Amino acid sequence: MLITSLLPLLTNYSLGFDLVAGPDDTVTLTIVPRKAAEAAHTLANGEARPISITASAAEIDAELGRGIDGALGQLIASRKTLADQIAEQRQAAELARTAAAQAAKANTAAVKPAAPTAPVKASVSSPPADATPGEPASLW
Protein backbone atom coordinates (compact mmCIF):
# COMPACT_ATOMS: atom_id res chain seq x y z
CA MET A 1 0.00 0.00 0.00
CA LEU A 2 2.81 2.44 0.84
CA ILE A 3 4.70 1.96 -2.40
CA THR A 4 1.47 2.12 -4.42
CA SER A 5 0.57 5.47 -2.83
CA LEU A 6 4.07 6.83 -3.54
CA LEU A 7 4.04 5.64 -7.17
CA PRO A 8 3.00 9.08 -8.60
CA LEU A 9 6.02 10.66 -6.89
CA LEU A 10 8.29 7.96 -8.28
CA THR A 11 7.62 9.06 -11.86
CA ASN A 12 9.74 12.19 -11.31
CA TYR A 13 11.76 11.28 -8.23
CA SER A 14 13.79 8.44 -6.87
CA LEU A 15 13.24 8.49 -3.11
CA GLY A 16 15.87 7.42 -0.59
CA PHE A 17 14.66 6.62 2.95
CA ASP A 18 16.50 6.58 6.29
CA LEU A 19 14.66 5.47 9.47
CA VAL A 20 15.90 6.17 13.00
CA ALA A 21 14.07 5.13 16.17
CA GLY A 22 13.60 7.92 18.69
CA PRO A 23 12.40 8.23 22.28
CA ASP A 24 8.75 7.59 23.24
CA ASP A 25 8.07 5.33 20.23
CA THR A 26 8.77 8.09 17.73
CA VAL A 27 10.50 7.53 14.44
CA THR A 28 12.50 10.00 12.37
CA LEU A 29 12.15 9.37 8.67
CA THR A 30 14.53 11.21 6.36
CA ILE A 31 13.56 11.20 2.70
CA VAL A 32 16.07 12.20 0.03
CA PRO A 33 14.44 13.03 -3.32
CA ARG A 34 16.65 12.37 -6.35
CA LYS A 35 15.98 12.62 -10.04
CA ALA A 36 14.39 9.49 -11.45
CA ALA A 37 16.24 7.95 -14.37
CA GLU A 38 13.31 8.56 -16.74
CA ALA A 39 12.37 12.02 -15.44
CA ALA A 40 12.28 14.77 -18.06
CA HIS A 41 13.01 17.71 -15.77
CA THR A 42 16.15 18.35 -13.75
CA LEU A 43 15.93 18.77 -10.01
CA ALA A 44 16.57 22.20 -8.56
CA ASN A 45 18.59 22.47 -5.35
CA GLY A 46 15.43 23.02 -3.30
CA GLU A 47 13.81 19.87 -4.63
CA ALA A 48 16.77 17.67 -3.81
CA ARG A 49 17.09 18.73 -0.16
CA PRO A 50 16.35 15.96 2.35
CA ILE A 51 12.99 15.99 4.12
CA SER A 52 12.87 14.88 7.74
CA ILE A 53 9.66 13.78 9.49
CA THR A 54 9.51 12.87 13.18
CA ALA A 55 6.27 11.29 14.46
CA SER A 56 4.88 7.96 15.55
CA ALA A 57 5.13 5.10 13.09
CA ALA A 58 1.35 5.10 12.58
CA GLU A 59 1.30 8.85 11.82
CA ILE A 60 4.11 8.52 9.31
CA ASP A 61 2.41 5.53 7.66
CA ALA A 62 -0.86 7.46 7.42
CA GLU A 63 0.82 10.53 5.92
CA LEU A 64 2.91 8.59 3.41
CA GLY A 65 -0.17 6.54 2.53
CA ARG A 66 -1.81 9.68 1.17
CA GLY A 67 0.79 9.82 -1.65
CA ILE A 68 0.93 13.07 -3.61
CA ASP A 69 -1.94 14.45 -1.51
CA GLY A 70 0.00 13.93 1.71
CA ALA A 71 2.59 16.13 3.34
CA LEU A 72 5.47 14.58 1.40
CA GLY A 73 3.81 15.04 -2.00
CA GLN A 74 2.73 18.58 -1.20
CA LEU A 75 6.17 19.52 0.11
CA ILE A 76 7.90 18.20 -3.00
CA ALA A 77 5.34 19.98 -5.23
CA SER A 78 5.86 23.24 -3.30
CA ARG A 79 9.61 22.97 -3.66
CA LYS A 80 9.20 22.34 -7.40
CA THR A 81 6.92 25.37 -7.72
CA LEU A 82 9.39 27.56 -5.83
CA ALA A 83 12.28 26.28 -7.93
CA ASP A 84 10.31 27.11 -11.10
CA GLN A 85 9.56 30.61 -9.79
CA ILE A 86 13.23 31.20 -8.97
CA ALA A 87 14.25 30.02 -12.43
CA GLU A 88 11.69 32.37 -14.03
CA GLN A 89 12.95 35.29 -11.93
CA ARG A 90 16.56 34.58 -12.88
CA GLN A 91 15.61 34.41 -16.55
CA ALA A 92 13.66 37.70 -16.31
CA ALA A 93 16.60 39.37 -14.55
CA GLU A 94 19.00 38.15 -17.24
CA LEU A 95 16.69 39.44 -20.00
CA ALA A 96 16.42 42.81 -18.25
CA ARG A 97 20.20 42.95 -17.83
CA THR A 98 20.70 42.19 -21.54
CA ALA A 99 18.09 44.78 -22.58
CA ALA A 100 19.70 47.42 -20.36
CA ALA A 101 23.12 46.70 -21.85
CA GLN A 102 21.74 46.97 -25.38
CA ALA A 103 19.96 50.23 -24.53
CA ALA A 104 23.17 51.63 -23.06
CA LYS A 105 25.06 50.71 -26.24
CA ALA A 106 22.36 52.34 -28.37
CA ASN A 107 22.48 55.52 -26.29
CA THR A 108 26.25 55.64 -26.50
CA ALA A 109 26.16 55.24 -30.27
CA ALA A 110 23.40 57.86 -30.66
CA VAL A 111 25.22 60.53 -28.68
CA LYS A 112 27.90 61.96 -30.95
CA PRO A 113 30.66 64.07 -29.49
CA ALA A 114 30.24 67.80 -30.15
CA ALA A 115 32.41 69.28 -32.86
CA PRO A 116 35.38 71.12 -31.43
CA THR A 117 34.96 74.87 -31.50
CA ALA A 118 37.60 77.51 -31.88
CA PRO A 119 38.76 78.98 -28.60
CA VAL A 120 37.06 82.21 -27.65
CA LYS A 121 39.44 85.14 -27.59
CA ALA A 122 38.84 87.82 -25.03
CA SER A 123 38.52 91.23 -26.56
CA VAL A 124 40.29 94.01 -24.81
CA SER A 125 38.68 97.36 -25.22
CA SER A 126 40.62 100.54 -24.98
CA PRO A 127 39.87 103.00 -22.18
CA PRO A 128 37.63 105.97 -22.93
CA ALA A 129 39.29 109.10 -24.27
CA ASP A 130 38.50 111.22 -21.17
CA ALA A 131 39.86 108.64 -18.66
CA THR A 132 42.46 109.91 -16.25
CA PRO A 133 45.21 107.61 -15.12
CA GLY A 134 44.96 106.38 -11.49
CA GLU A 135 41.18 106.92 -11.24
CA PRO A 136 38.52 104.31 -11.80
CA ALA A 137 36.59 104.62 -15.04
CA SER A 138 33.03 105.87 -14.82
CA LEU A 139 30.17 103.76 -16.06
CA TRP A 140 28.21 106.83 -17.24
Side-chain angles (χ1 to χ4, degrees), residues 30-42:
T30 303
I31 303 164
V32 182
R34 294 179 287 251
K35 179 182 178 192
E38 301 83 26
H41 79 286
T42 58

Side-chain angles (χ1 to χ4, degrees), residues 19 24-29 54-64:
L19 287 170
D24 302 326
D25 294 329
T26 60
V27 176
T28 299
L29 171 64
T54 300
S56 70
E59 291 170 329
I60 292 175
D61 282 344
E63 200 57 46
L64 292 179

Side-chain angles (χ1 to χ4, degrees), residues 120-126:
V120 178
K121 294 183 180 180
S123 61
V124 180
S125 60
S126 57

Side-chain angles (χ1 to χ4, degrees), residues 79-92:
R79 285 182 176 182
K80 172 76 173 116
T81 302
L82 289 173
D84 289 344
Q85 290 174 3
I86 290 170
E88 288 172 10
Q89 290 296 319
R90 285 184 179 152
Q91 183 179 14

Side-chain angles (χ1 to χ4, degrees), residues 1-2 4-9 13 15 29 31 51 53 59-79:
M1 177 77 171
L2 175 64
T4 305
S5 62
L6 291 177
L7 203 53
L9 288 173
Y13 304 97
L15 301 175
L29 171 64
I31 303 164
I51 300 164
I53 302 170
E59 291 170 329
I60 292 175
D61 282 344
E63 200 57 46
L64 292 179
R66 294 180 59 202
I68 59 173
D69 296 326
L72 177 62
Q74 290 178 1
L75 181 59
I76 291 175
S78 296
R79 285 182 176 182

